[in-house]
Amino acid sequence: MVKMSTVEMQIAERAGKNPGEALTNLHQFIDECMLTECFYSLNKNGASGVDRETWAKYNERRSERIPQLHDEFKSGKYRAPNIRRVYIPKGDGKQRPLGLPTVEDKLLQTAVTKVLTPVYETRFYDTSYGFRPGKSQHQALEKLYKEVSFEGKRYIIDADMKNYFGSIDHQRLREFLDLRIKDGVVRKMIDKWLKAGIFEEGKTIYPKEGTPQGGSISPLLSNIYLHHVLDEWFIEQIQPLLKGQSFIIRFADDFLLGFTNKGDAKRVMEVLPKRLGKYGLTLHPEKTRLIELNETEGHKAGTFDFLGFTHYMGKSRKGRIILKRKTSSKKLRASLKRMNEWIRDNRHLKVGEIISQMNQKLRGHYGYYGITFNSRLIDFYFERSKRLLHYWLNRRGGKRVLNWERYCKLITEWTPLLAPRIYHSYLIAKP
């Protein structure tokens, strides 16, 4: 159960009473008190925007800046600053563009997102899990496990969209927003963010489509777009026409469609690119596949990756064929690469400090990948990390000083490395 503030409850109640009407007076909920709360919710160590101002620097003049920001927002005088674009590695050798708004812009985006979220939470389907309060990747994985294992939906469309966040059609998005939001102050602000320039390598460009990843309002806008383009279309228009049962599971722009009937899956596979294309979105032809999970004569059961896991069919303890999962090889390689680089770059620290920080990284890995059926690969991750630590500790002074026996004593008795464990168990049904 997600705890909502009084303001969010009021907005949700208003949205629930008028499900078919657009709300016209939401900006009144954004006051100096809310802006201050949103400011404190920001990452204090987050990267700065084009003005290079940090959270701490803004905080020095917070009492002066927030009232000024509030007045500019309400009067419509606020101008959205350019967004600084950087690139972060994706793990496959490629890079993903990331937009970095200024601290003040991030603060205002957070406040607007806070008042819009309750409106759309009354409309979004339960099948959407990304960037929503009370929703998580593990809930999506559990739903997938049950739908395939117990409901027999063994024909999966594994879809991959090209540059989704950079392809959102601004005019189409405005039309979708018109259905629920007609507050002039809020809508004008969203338009300013959509039109904001992107600063990169000394040049500023003004994109005519897309929402830059990195802005706190971008996940909500992207969810609104796909709610209408994909979720609503599939659930309200497509599912009633199918012969068998089906499901949709979406996390941000990453989604799966599952079917009990192969013919249904093939028909949807044909119309899906046309539906997305109508709204400016493109499926990756090499990465979008129809997968058959059943093993038949002459056909090996397929596998697919979703949310960092490779999913495949296997036998339960009782001999039943169910969906299992393991860390995808791409994610495992990337995780070990990051661990290796971190130990290499920090091997000059005291051993106790290295292990303490390393344990935080191990805990984070187990916290996500420590899921039923994946114990073998989190054990593997631990063992490889353990050997990487031994390797780099013995290269701190250019000579071998720590034999394996003494090292094992160190990480098990003196300063223990965090052992792997399963954090998410979905064996309640005991298949």
Side-chain angles (χ1 to χ4, degrees):
M1 185 73 178
V2 180
K3 187 176 181 180
M4 298 177 70
S5 67
T6 304
V7 166
E8 290 169 310
M9 289 173 66
Q10 289 175 359
I11 297 172
E13 184 179 358
R14 184 181 296 186
K17 284 182 179 178
N18 307 286
E21 297 178 17
L23 303 183
T24 57
N25 197 12
L26 289 172
H27 72 275
Q28 65 171 336
F29 292 104
I30 299 177
D31 54 21
E32 292 178 23
C33 181
M34 177 186 280
L35 289 172
T36 302
E37 288 177 6
C38 290
F39 174 70
Y40 281 116
S41 74
L42 300 179
N43 180 2
K44 296 175 177 58
N45 299 313
S48 57
V50 289
D51 59 1
R52 300 293 177 172
E53 185 176 43
T54 62
W55 186 95
K57 197 69 178 173
Y58 190 94
N59 190 42
E60 291 176 4
R61 296 178 56 201
R62 183 193 71 253
S63 59
E64 175 188 340
R65 298 280 294 274
I66 286 182
Q68 182 182 348
L69 173 63
H70 181 250
D71 290 341
E72 290 180 354
F73 166 66
K74 289 292 181 73
S75 65
K77 293 179 181 178
Y78 180 81
R79 296 182 63 185
N82 293 335
I83 295 167
R84 183 164 70 94
R85 175 178 279 173
V86 297
Y87 290 86
I88 56 175
K90 291 175 63 175
D92 56 1
K94 298 180 181 179
Q95 293 185 315
R96 175 184 288 114
L98 182 68
L100 299 176
T102 64
V103 172
E104 188 165 74
D105 206 40
K106 216 180 296 182
L107 157 60
L108 189 53
Q109 286 191 34
T110 302
V112 172
T113 302
K114 193 178 181 70
V115 299
L116 292 185
T117 295
V119 177
Y120 284 99
E121 281 301 305
T122 65
R123 304 293 293 171
F124 288 158
Y125 293 101
D126 287 339
T127 54
S128 167
Y129 293 88
F131 305 109
R132 293 182 59 193
K135 295 280 193 174
S136 71
Q137 291 101 319
H138 290 104
Q139 289 175 340
L141 292 168
E142 182 177 10
K143 176 69 172 174
L144 174 63
Y145 166 67
K146 290 178 179 177
E147 291 284 357
V148 174
S149 299
F150 307 134
E151 302 298 327
K153 300 180 177 94
R154 305 290 172 85
Y155 300 98
I156 306 292
I157 294 178
D158 178 15
D160 187 285
M161 283 189 282
K162 284 184 178 179
N163 187 28
Y164 168 65
F165 285 91
S167 303
I168 294 174
D169 185 291
H170 288 177
Q171 186 53 41
R172 293 282 195 178
L173 177 60
R174 292 186 187 101
E175 291 170 5
F176 294 147
L177 289 168
D178 281 341
L179 299 174
R180 294 299 287 155
I181 310 295
K182 287 193 174 176
D183 181 308
V185 176
V186 171
R187 290 297 302 276
K188 187 180 291 186
M189 194 63 252
I190 293 175
D191 266 349
K192 289 178 180 179
W193 284 322
L194 291 176
K195 295 174 183 176
I198 296 176
F199 182 77
E200 179 182 0
E201 296 181 350
K203 297 179 181 178
T204 303
I205 59 171
Y206 295 89
K208 299 186 183 300
E209 56 192 17
T211 62
Q213 289 177 265
S216 49
I217 199 168
S218 292
L220 176 61
L221 295 180
S222 68
N223 266 339
I224 293 169
Y225 201 74
L226 276 185
H227 166 76
H228 291 287
V229 172
L230 180 65
D231 304 354
E232 202 171 55
W233 168 75
F234 184 75
I235 292 170
E236 297 184 11
Q237 296 182 40
I238 298 300
Q239 282 188 322
L241 302 176
L242 301 178
K243 294 179 180 179
Q245 295 181 318
S246 62
F247 71 79
I248 176 173
I249 294 174
R250 181 172 67 81
F251 192 94
D253 61 326
D254 199 0
F255 68 93
L256 299 172
L257 304 175
F259 308 84
T260 56
N261 183 287
K262 188 175 183 179
D264 287 342
K266 285 184 173 180
R267 284 190 291 274
V268 173
M269 189 72 171
E270 289 177 7
V271 299
L272 183 60
K274 299 173 186 175
R275 171 66 183 184
L276 297 178
K278 181 180 176 181
Y279 295 90
L281 305 177
T282 308
L283 285 174
H284 210 299
E286 292 84 25
K287 296 181 180 179
T288 301
R289 305 174 298 148
L290 173 56
I291 299 148
E292 186 172 346
L293 296 176
N294 289 320
E295 185 170 353
T296 57
E297 189 174 344
H299 171 76
K300 187 178 178 181
T303 67
F304 62 94
D305 287 0
F306 183 60
L307 298 180
F309 292 89
T310 296
H311 301 264
Y312 61 98
M313 302 306 290
K315 285 187 178 181
S316 72
R317 292 173 298 186
K318 295 183 178 180
R320 182 171 183 170
I321 302 297
I322 58 172
L323 185 70
K324 293 188 172 184
R325 52 277 173 120
K326 61 184 178 181
T327 312
S328 76
S329 56
K330 183 173 77 172
K331 295 294 183 182
L332 184 59
R333 285 195 303 271
S335 295
L336 287 170
K337 184 173 182 285
R338 286 194 301 270
M339 181 65 84
N340 181 62
E341 291 171 350
W342 182 87
I343 300 172
R344 179 197 66 197
D345 296 341
N346 291 276
R347 66 186 187 274
H348 61 281
L349 299 175
K350 293 180 179 179
V351 173
E353 191 174 343
I354 295 175
I355 291 179
S356 175
Q357 293 187 41
M358 191 170 166
N359 279 341
Q360 294 179 27
K361 298 180 182 301
L362 290 171
R363 186 177 290 108
H365 188 87
Y366 306 153
Y368 187 76
Y369 291 104
I371 190 171
T372 306
F373 310 124
N374 196 35
S375 58
R376 185 178 66 83
L377 284 187
I378 62 170
D379 287 346
F380 177 81
Y381 178 78
F382 172 74
E383 290 297 329
R384 289 295 302 149
S385 297
K386 184 170 74 173
R387 291 186 177 276
L388 288 171
L389 178 60
H390 180 248
Y391 176 86
W392 286 113
L393 286 180
N394 278 319
R395 276 148 187 81
R396 298 207 296 176
K399 58 183 180 180
R400 197 172 189 84
V401 294
L402 191 63
N403 63 41
W404 183 254
E405 185 179 346
R406 185 174 173 81
Y407 171 70
C408 289
K409 201 171 187 66
L410 166 71
I411 62 170
T412 56
E413 296 180 24
W414 300 336
T415 313
L417 267 184
L418 189 67
R421 58 166 284 202
I422 296 295
Y423 280 79
H424 308 277
S425 177
Y426 299 147
L427 288 178
I428 298 172
K430 295 181 174 60

